[in-house]
Amino acid sequence: MAVNNTAEMEGVMEIPRWWTCPRGFDELRENAHRLGESELLKHSAVADQKSLYPRESLKAIADAGYGAVTLPIEDGGLGSYRAFSVLAESFAHYCGSSTMCWVMHTAAVHTLYAAGNKQQRDRFLPGVLAGDIGALAFSEPATGGHFWNVVSEAPREQDGYLLNADKSFVTSAGEADWYILCTNFPDTLNSDKLMFLVVEKDQYGISHFPFNAMGLRGNSSGPMKFEDVKVPFENRLGEEGGMNEFNDNVIDPLFLLGTSSCWVGIAQGALNAAIESAKKKVHADTGSSVAGYQVIRHELAKAQISIDSARSLLYRTAESMDECSRNGRELAECLYPLWQLKTHAADIVIQVTNQALQVSGGKGYITGQVEKFLRDGRAGAVMGPTNEVLREWIGRTLIEVPWFE
Ligand SMILES: Cc1cc2nc3c(=O)[nH]c(=O)nc-3n(C[C@H](O)[C@H](O)[C@H](O)COP(=O)(O)OP(=O)(O)OC[C@H]3O[C@@H](n4cnc5c(N)ncnc54)[C@H](O)[C@@H]3O)c2cc1C
């Protein structure tokens, strides 16, 4: 059986738009796909092969007006978490690396906005809207993915803080214009000593190291060292200690949503490539396309159902986050669904990219689009909070004991 390419063929079911994109966001999604196709895709393979930071792609995203999407419209954003998700999901079809750098940047910008004061916003946001990159330097080798329990410290000295910190993974390391560092202020009586400092790229005492990884190879997500870095008082976001609530209310919600969108997009991109390949390839002996085999069609169906289940969680959660912010409620209210969302999205991207490779046959295994989706998507489950940690929090919640000790 050869499979016809025309979607308009009589009897072909049309997939409702609202099922794949939240209502009212179709135009944004189309714009994002246009940008992905014309800009992100252009640099994607080279970024992967040469571990090159996708600077041009990130500039193109900022130039399109998406440098600070989660901020209110009056501050240069789109004021919507659904918009953030739609963009990240769409971009991920074209380049996992630039999407992930942009997601971490967006989380950093939102943290600066939420925890910073007016002077700090006025200082950094114009640059962000013009294409400056922000990054989050949280995880440390000593405590791994438990980035809320860092061991580094920044005590007070004359004009500010003396920061010493080892960071294990920082997306946009050595490439960002500024970093938000999560560290401890040792001199507080507060049991929560967590403090956020903005460190600018040209401050003395910063080094970064290469990122040699199986996927997301353009990310520059390598380690960083901050040695006796003098950070002025005016670069502290919020209080001297007591900043853990920002992890729950801002940072976790933003990057759990953003990274999940990226995994859904990578999974869909891989499946689309597999569908195309299965439709095109025809075996001369049987006269059948690969898509003509029922077992293959079932595999495609199973993969799509997995993606759509994650996408349903994604847009339902993003909508609830929009509702929280409209009504002045805290985003921590959405943490439980976000844990489920991230775990599921990071699980299904592994499953679906494997299915896509299998359906694509040997061509899928050869260096190129499909195997790259598989390598990029594999990062999801190990990125913090890791899937093991999240399942533990979900499980503890189910048996009604505190999720966090
Ligand atoms: C591509 C990429 C980009 C990243 N970008 C950034 C960034 O921009 N900023 C940043 O701060 N960090 C970043 N990270 C770090 C990330 O958030 C995690 O901290 C990191 O991936 C966890 O790795 P680890 O080796 O430190 O793991 P560990 O925490 O040592 O975990 C090792 C294993 O133990 C399991 N484990 C750990 N703790 C528990 C527990 N309590 N219960 C059960 N199992 C547990 C883990 O699930 C994992 O399987 C990035 C990581 C990657 C891979």
Side-chain angles (χ1 to χ4, degrees), residues 100 104 135-141 143-147 167-172 211 213 215-216 219 221 255 379 381-389 392:
M100 188 51 67
M104 299 310 280
L136 291 173
F138 276 46
S139 315
E140 298 189 352
T143 49
H146 305 164
F147 54 82
K167 296 292 175 181
S168 44
F169 299 88
V170 181
T171 293
S172 302
F211 180 58
L216 297 178
N219 261 22
S221 294
F255 81 64
V382 295
M383 282 183 77
T386 64
N387 278 19
E388 286 73 18
V389 167
E392 177 61 8

Side-chain angles (χ1 to χ4, degrees), residues 24-76:
F25 289 84
D26 290 321
E27 196 183 326
L28 183 71
R29 184 168 77 155
E30 276 159 32
N31 290 343
H33 276 278
R34 262 198 297 278
L35 186 64
E37 226 170 325
S38 64
E39 294 296 332
L40 274 52
L41 189 60
K42 215 162 50 186
H43 310 291
S44 177
V46 181
D48 180 55
Q49 286 153 15
K50 302 194 171 167
S51 290
L52 271 187
Y53 189 72
R55 186 161 290 284
E56 294 93 338
S57 302
L58 292 169
K59 182 73 174 88
I61 293 175
D63 288 347
Y66 308 138
V69 279
T70 56
L71 302 195
I73 293 170
E74 58 274 22
D75 291 307

Side-chain angles (χ1 to χ4, degrees), residues 259-322:
T259 54
S260 302
S261 314
C262 182
W263 312 132
V264 171
I266 286 179
Q268 188 67 70
L271 184 58
N272 290 352
I275 292 171
E276 275 314 300
S277 152
K279 279 166 41 178
K280 267 194 202 135
K281 182 159 186 190
V282 178
H283 290 148
D285 55 341
T286 60
S288 173
S289 66
V290 171
Y293 303 126
Q294 189 182 41
V295 69
I296 295 290
R297 293 198 298 272
H298 286 199
E299 211 53 33
L300 299 177
K302 281 191 281 185
Q304 189 61 62
I305 292 167
S306 296
I307 295 171
D308 287 334
S309 66
R311 190 185 275 122
S312 294
L313 289 183
L314 174 66
Y315 290 123
R316 192 167 161 215
T317 310
E319 192 174 354
S320 299
M321 287 170 67
D322 279 333

Side-chain angles (χ1 to χ4, degrees), residues 16 18 69 79 99 191 229 241 297 306 314 341 356:
W18 60 264
V69 279
T99 308
S191 60
V229 178
R297 293 198 298 272
S306 296
L314 174 66
L341 163 66

Side-chain angles (χ1 to χ4, degrees), residues 68 71 75 109 112-113 120-130:
L71 302 195
D75 291 307
V109 170
L112 189 134
Y113 185 87
Q120 291 165 332
R121 291 176 183 182
D122 290 348
R123 231 171 98 201
F124 291 102
L125 291 184
V128 163
L129 296 177

